[in-house]
Amino acid sequence: MALVLRVAMQFVGILLSLLGWVLSIITTYLPHWKNLNLDLNDMENWTMGLWQACVIQEEVGMQCKDFESFLGLPAELRVSRVLMFLSNGLGFLGLLVSGFGLDCLRIGETQRDVKKRLLILGGILFWTAGVTALVPVSWVAHVTVQEFWDERIPEIVPRWEFGEALFIGWAPLASGRYAVAEMRTQCAYLENGTAHPSA
């Protein structure tokens, strides 16, 4: 019974971590970090991501253009590209490392201490991946809010607002935190091989 509970909790933790990693990848490439709606033309909306800017027109559909220069981008977008790549890489490593630490995997089943350390390392990697995704998403959101309320910009000038990708980007940290909690709980289970750390 203890083993079944342990395996089930590990499975939930790894699934949530996988979900967070997928959401991080989607956030990285989705061109909806910022949205701009023009009051003068309701049928035309602009979106901006880390890689391209797009215009969505009712008759034509969505047309996107890649940014031509990395150095020409604002600082928050340049740094966001690097951090999101780092987050995706750390999440992938976390999945690999945690996968080898799962009880349901027969590899190294006699070496519980090694499996415990793999789970701890995987949890740390997931947490770090979540933070490195949270920083760029929050930074872009902060700059967007500052520019939106900037009194030096005339009121007739359209303002960028939060895009859908920012909300997707905030989700992986929650998934990563839950997975780390699961991994820490499992470490206690693995130490004494019981259904409850205190048992």
Side-chain angles (χ1 to χ4, degrees):
M1 181 65 181
L3 180 62
V4 172
L5 179 63
R6 201 165 56 221
V7 169
M9 290 183 69
Q10 288 177 355
F11 188 67
V12 168
I14 207 81
L15 276 181
L16 287 172
S17 300
L18 177 63
L19 174 65
W21 180 64
V22 169
L23 289 175
S24 178
I25 290 173
I26 291 171
T27 301
T28 303
Y29 295 103
L30 199 65
H32 294 278
W33 283 57
K34 293 182 177 185
N35 290 339
L36 180 69
N37 299 323
L38 301 175
D39 291 334
L40 299 174
N41 187 357
D42 292 334
M43 296 173 18
E44 184 174 286
N45 294 321
W46 290 81
T47 64
M48 180 188 297
L50 298 179
W51 309 98
Q52 57 191 357
C54 301
V55 60
I56 305 164
Q57 296 172 319
E58 197 171 295
E59 297 174 356
V60 182
M62 186 177 203
Q63 294 178 321
C64 297
K65 183 176 183 195
D66 294 339
F67 296 126
E68 294 179 1
S69 169
F70 176 76
L71 296 177
L73 292 172
E76 70 272 12
L77 294 184
R78 289 196 309 267
V79 173
S80 293
R81 278 190 184 184
V82 175
L83 288 177
M84 290 306 289
F85 264 131
L86 183 61
S87 174
N88 296 338
L90 289 171
F92 181 71
L93 282 176
L95 286 170
L96 283 179
V97 169
S98 298
F100 285 114
L102 295 175
D103 284 341
C104 60
L105 203 67
R106 297 286 183 213
I107 299 172
E109 61 184 331
T110 57
Q111 301 174 332
R112 287 190 177 255
D113 191 47
V114 173
K115 284 195 169 239
K116 178 178 81 170
R117 288 181 181 165
L118 286 174
L119 288 175
I120 292 171
L121 178 58
I124 291 169
L125 287 169
F126 286 136
W127 185 83
T128 309
V131 170
T132 53
L134 180 68
V135 168
V137 169
S138 299
W139 187 8
V140 170
H142 174 72
V143 170
T144 304
V145 169
Q146 279 189 322
E147 291 173 352
F148 188 87
W149 295 109
D150 191 346
E151 295 178 355
R152 295 171 297 174
I153 301 174
E155 288 187 18
I156 59 168
V157 175
R159 314 284 174 111
W160 290 99
E161 297 183 17
F162 292 170
E164 294 84 359
L166 295 185
F167 297 102
I168 296 172
W170 280 312
L173 184 65
S175 300
R177 275 188 184 165
Y178 185 78
V180 170
E182 292 288 353
M183 298 299 180
R184 284 184 183 160
T185 306
Q186 291 313 311
C187 293
Y189 293 162
L190 288 172
E191 270 181 28
N192 54 24
T194 62
H196 193 276
S198 60

